[in-house]
């Protein structure tokens, strides 16, 4: 066994607490992950020793700060196998990364008659920006349907034959659905988009800390993710963009740090990534993200995906035994991660989450920022359990036992 896995739980201080009188079972990783000591210490060390603004000073602390920030950028490029460091733009998170593409690339490149394609399983942050972009530019927004229950809620890939036309200028899709747990064939989707000349945007919010990612092998144009879902801090995220695209895009926000020459008559802008990082960046959390990527690679992302799969399978198989349950997404035996979403016929998701909390178990209940999909599936909400590196088979068993008690209570 990889020694990095041996004492994983010891690396996460937050896990070692009681909720009420029960040990915490944290299964809300789809919303945000916990942080290992190495990440907490990297942020702490920065503030204790190096804190200063970047790219502006010639003094020792400013240079250390700049070095730490740029090292985080190089580490991120390596983490997703980007060809150049300049292809890594630091943002606040997935939401800001996608808005950046919509505002900048989208507004500059789309016109009436063009089509933006996304899918029915997107988080609102990979849906609303495209609606707004369509309204601004006169482009049309279309959705790849989610196939029915029997097809395990995967994307209807046959529909792509008619939807992916040369009018499609941008195709945005998620890698892993935060509501269904479906893992999309992103390599195939990129290849099919390329065949019609469409620019691709991958929402990797649910996958960046769970699966290996290689943007060059994928051939994607943009890829967005958040630090906080991959053991890193909140408030830091990444937009990967192909260099030629980024350098041709207008700035998203303007101000200090992103300019070349400013004159009363006008301004010229730096190339990427500075062009898209106006103002003082989130230096400390970029450094924390660097530590998170080191931690994830010590565990090995192939091994993480296998661990997720094991826990997801265990949960799915046990949940399938419960009466009146509808489990969304991949069925037992299919490729899946550690995220399982389900609904009971007679118990509302908010009641399930509240009762599970009394057993110390953290779940999420609601529409998961997926309102149109919920409506299509005929559901108001689901309960979601999402596991990660520090979760154990025993915790999945505790979840199932708690759900049995809840069902017994509600008769
Ligand atoms: N895309 C997907 C697939 C997500 O799951 C989320 C957050 C986002 C985008 C937005 O990420 P942010 O870091 O910018 O907020 N998903 C969830 C969730 O499922 N529960 O809480 C947040």
């Amino acid at each position: 066994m990889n020694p990095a896995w041996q004492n994983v739980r010891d690396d996460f201080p937050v896990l070692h607490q009681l909720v009420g009188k029960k040990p915490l079972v944290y299964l809300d990783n789809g919303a945000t992950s916990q942080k290992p000591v190495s990440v907490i210490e990297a942020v702490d060390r920065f503030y204790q020793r190096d804190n200063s603004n970047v790219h502006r000073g010639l003094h020792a602390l400013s240079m250390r700060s700049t070095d730490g920030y740029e090292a985080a950028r190089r580490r991120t490029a390596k983490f997703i196998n980007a060809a150049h460091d300049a292809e890594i733009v630091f943002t606040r998170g997935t939401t800001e990364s996608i808005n950046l593409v919509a505002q900048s690339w989208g507004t500059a490149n789309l016109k009436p008659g063009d089509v933006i394609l996304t899918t029915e399983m997107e988080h609102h942050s990979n849906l609303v920006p495209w609606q707004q972009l369509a309204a601004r530019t006169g482009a049309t927004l279309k959705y790849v349907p989610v196939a029915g229950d029997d097809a395990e809620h995967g994307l209807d890939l046959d529909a792509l034959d008619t939807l992916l036309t040369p009018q499609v200028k941008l195709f945005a899709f998620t890698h892993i659905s935060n509501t269904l747990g479906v893992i999309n064939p992103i390599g195939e989707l990129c290849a099919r988009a390329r065949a019609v000349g469409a620019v691709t945007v991958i929402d990797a919010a649910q996958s960046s800390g769970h699966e290996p990612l290689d943007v060059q092998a994928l051939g994607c144009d943009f890829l967005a993710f958040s630090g906080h879902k991959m053991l890193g801090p909140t408030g830091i995220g990444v937009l990967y963009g192909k260099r030629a695209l980024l350098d041709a895009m207008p700035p998203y926000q303007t101000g200090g740090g992103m300019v070349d020459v400013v004159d009363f008559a006008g301004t010229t802008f730096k190339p990427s990534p500075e062009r898209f990082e106006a103002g003082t960046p989130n230096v400390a959390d970029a450094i924390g993200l660097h530590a998170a990527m080191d931690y994830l690679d010590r565990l090995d992302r192939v091994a993480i995906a296998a661990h997720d799969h094991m826990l997801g399978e265990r949960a799915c198989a046990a949940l399938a035994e419960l009466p009146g349950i509808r489990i969304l997404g991949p069925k037992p035996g299919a490729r899946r991660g550690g995220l399982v979403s389900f609904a009971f016929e007679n118990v509302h998701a908010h009641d399930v989450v509240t009762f599970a909390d009394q057993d110390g178990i953290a779940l999420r209940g609601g529409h998961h920022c997926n309102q149109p999909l919920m409506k299509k599936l005929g559901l108001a909400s689901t309960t979601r359990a999402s596991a990660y590196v520090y979760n154990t088979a025993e915790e999945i068993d505790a979840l199932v036992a708690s759900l049995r008690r809840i069902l017994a209570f509600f008769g």
Side-chain angles (χ1 to χ4, degrees):
M1 188 192 189
N2 173 350
W5 278 88
Q6 252 151 30
N7 298 308
V8 168
R9 290 183 66 83
D10 294 345
D11 294 334
F12 294 82
V14 79
L15 297 177
H16 307 282
Q17 62 176 293
L18 300 179
V19 173
K21 290 190 170 118
K22 302 284 177 63
L24 168 67
V25 174
Y26 186 79
L27 287 170
D28 193 17
N29 295 283
T32 200
S33 66
Q34 300 301 345
K35 323 302 171 198
V37 169
S38 61
V39 168
I40 298 167
E41 285 182 352
V43 175
D44 186 64
R45 205 178 313 122
F46 172 78
Y47 283 125
Q48 298 262 8
R49 210 186 57 188
D50 300 330
N51 177 51
S52 183
N53 212 330
V54 291
H55 300 150
R56 283 175 199 166
L58 290 174
H59 59 82
L61 267 60
S62 175
M63 286 187 279
R64 289 213 296 264
S65 230
T66 304
D67 285 351
Y69 187 63
E70 292 307 322
R73 196 187 308 280
R74 287 193 297 280
R75 181 66 182 90
T76 306
K78 193 170 152 222
F79 191 74
I80 58 170
N81 195 30
H84 303 281
D85 304 340
E87 296 181 322
I88 304 300
V89 178
F90 283 123
T91 64
R92 282 192 299 123
T94 307
T95 302
E96 188 175 43
S97 296
I98 293 171
N99 274 278
L100 195 166
V101 177
Q103 293 282 352
S104 171
W105 187 91
T107 311
N109 285 284
L110 296 188
K111 56 180 189 320
D114 291 340
V115 173
I116 304 164
L117 188 62
T118 185
T119 86
E120 288 181 346
M121 67 167 75
E122 302 308 317
H123 186 279
H124 294 162
S125 67
N126 198 27
L127 195 165
V128 183
W130 308 125
Q131 284 180 338
Q132 296 288 103
L133 175 62
R136 270 200 310 281
T137 59
T140 306
L141 179 58
K142 294 187 180 175
Y143 301 92
V144 181
V146 166
D149 256 341
D150 293 343
E152 307 187 329
H153 299 122
L155 290 177
D156 180 354
L157 296 178
D158 292 340
L160 276 182
D161 294 338
T162 43
L163 283 170
L164 256 186
T165 62
Q167 283 71 45
V168 177
K169 295 293 182 283
L170 181 138
F171 184 19
F173 46 85
T174 193
H175 186 184
I176 302 183
S177 158
N178 70 313
T179 301
L180 300 166
V182 165
I183 304 176
N184 285 320
I186 51 174
E188 180 187 344
L189 297 179
C190 285
R192 291 186 67 174
R194 242 186 340 269
V196 296
V199 161
T200 44
V201 182
I202 300 179
D203 175 349
Q206 291 293 340
S207 66
S208 57
H210 296 262
E211 300 253 333
L213 283 171
D214 180 337
V215 289
Q216 293 188 72
L218 289 167
C220 60
D221 294 299
F222 296 103
L223 179 127
F225 56 96
S226 301
H228 69 96
K229 291 191 202 281
M230 50 187 287
L231 311 183
T234 50
I236 187 77
V238 173
L239 175 67
Y240 159 82
K242 275 192 185 149
R243 200 172 186 179
L245 283 171
L246 288 175
D247 282 341
M249 280 158 55
Y252 165 55
Q253 294 175 339
T254 51
M258 49 78 70
V259 295
D260 206 358
V261 178
V262 182
D263 189 272
F264 285 128
T267 298
T268 56
F269 304 112
K270 284 189 176 144
S272 175
E274 287 87 354
R275 169 178 305 197
F276 299 106
E277 294 183 1
T280 299
N282 187 350
V283 185
D285 294 322
I287 289 168
L289 179 60
H290 184 158
M293 291 175 172
D294 286 348
Y295 189 92
L296 289 167
D297 279 342
R298 278 198 297 277
L299 290 181
D300 178 314
R301 276 174 278 166
V302 173
I304 294 173
H307 179 81
D308 288 349
H309 177 84
M310 181 273 286
L311 295 177
E313 276 284 286
R314 190 180 183 94
C316 250
L319 290 174
E321 305 281 309
L322 300 180
I325 194 169
R326 176 173 172 196
I327 303 175
L328 306 188
K331 299 287 177 286
R335 186 165 135 65
R336 66 161 320 116
L339 189 154
V340 187
S341 203
F342 51 93
F344 290 112
E345 237 164 61
N346 298 324
V347 192
H348 193 278
H350 288 158
D351 291 330
V352 176
V353 173
T354 304
F355 272 72
D357 182 54
Q358 290 172 12
D359 284 334
I361 302 173
L363 302 173
R364 183 146 298 237
H367 55 59
H368 313 295
C369 293
N370 247 203
Q371 288 180 28
L373 177 67
M374 286 286 150
K375 199 166 164 195
K376 168 166 174 151
L377 298 176
L379 291 163
S381 60
T382 71
T383 304
R384 184 184 72 184
S386 48
Y388 205 6
V389 292
Y390 32 72
N391 291 119
T392 62
E394 292 72 29
E395 288 183 316
I396 299 299
D397 298 346
L399 163 70
V400 177
S402 177
L403 293 174
R404 283 192 185 282
R405 282 193 290 277
I406 293 163
L407 288 174
F409 179 87
F410 283 94

